[in-house]
Amino acid sequence: MNDKFSLSRSMAIALKETMHIRRDPFILAMAAGLPVILVIFFGFAINFDFKNINLAVFDMDHSKQSRELARLFGSSEYFNVKTQNFETNPIREVESERSSVAVVINPEFSKNISLQIGAKVQVLVDGTDNMKSGVIIGYIAGLRQIVNRFFSSVPQKNPLEISTRFLYNPELDTQWFVVPGLIVVVTGLLSIFMTALTVAREWENGSMELILSTPVKPVEVIAGKILPYLGLGLIAIVFVYTVARVVFGVPFLGSYTLLSVACVLFITTLLAQGILISVATRQQQKAMQIAMVAGLLPALLLSGFVFPIESMPVFFRYFTMILPARWFMDIIRGIFLKGAGIRELYVPFAALFLMNVFFVFAAVKRFKKDIE
């Protein structure tokens, strides 16, 4: 066998794979339609901006000031306010899940306000969902400042005024945060599935043995297998990018060239990982199970998509370093929202490049072993 890499043999395999893709409507539908459907579905479904939270007000003062306080809570789009009578127990109201928050206004509320000695209001929050309860506490803290200004009859002179501005996402829009992350999750899952299942199918029907029996190098087979699916993956990225910009209004502040390079690195890494899975299993069912574990779960749970990596235990913070999705997540959010360049993203790019080389080399090595 000639040791020199033959582009013509690799392109012949790529052409054969392209013809196979054109004859398989399932692969075309999965590559073109599935990413768009998933991004639209989860882009609307995943929302960390809790709104319309049921809030029960227990007004024991029945004064103008207490009614004004209830109105201030109701003026926020975050709460649906309902006034309760004396017979209802505030704790029971939260316990029964009729309300997530109970606000108890003490009988001395208006009197203490007029005397300026500090009026007290008790707030009971359902703590079973710590993410939701944390957001509610933040809402209450913001309303507290509004209430204090409203009821203060004497102008306050603060020696220190703190002004907060959120960079890159001024309105803290969840979709700006979620949709770029969904690109990573959906594209990664699609890439690893396409090669893991299709190549495993060739092992099952015997066509892969025919390819390996010809004078072809493993690297030529890998290149020929990856190229068509790389094209499909990039088309899927274009579709998803269009949905992110048009449907969700996510800004894009970075470089298209840098984004293209990152997408090629990430997709080829996952495609090579899928080929490695198919070579190791040679069965579609096993390949699908392993691809699901390797492609979906890390991207969802350990990439920083939902849970901040900085908040994870030390072991998992280091473990995420071997996951391509973690680094691509940093890259795509940095390019989309921050307009970051290679100077800010050279570490994620270097990590993704090394993983790309590793998985391609491992797949070639395993193919070479099979040929020998």
Side-chain angles (χ1 to χ4, degrees), residues 279-313:
V279 174
T281 60
R282 299 195 180 189
Q283 296 179 19
Q284 290 186 76
Q285 186 175 2
K286 289 183 179 179
M288 182 176 64
Q289 293 171 349
I290 297 176
M292 178 67 73
V293 174
L296 180 61
L297 296 181
L300 279 176
L301 303 178
L302 299 175
S303 66
F305 173 56
V306 177
F307 309 108
I309 293 175
E310 296 81 4
S311 302
M312 296 179 184

Side-chain angles (χ1 to χ4, degrees), residues 205-223:
N205 61 30
S207 60
M208 183 60 69
E209 282 81 354
L210 294 176
I211 295 176
L212 296 180
S213 64
T214 61
V216 60
K217 294 172 66 64
V219 67
E220 295 166 354
V221 177
I222 298 295

Side-chain angles (χ1 to χ4, degrees), residues 12-33:
I13 295 174
L15 179 61
K16 174 256 179 192
E17 198 67 31
T18 302
M19 295 173 62
H20 171 71
I21 293 173
R22 291 176 59 185
R23 292 193 301 264
D24 192 337
F26 173 75
I27 295 178
L28 289 175
M30 185 171 67

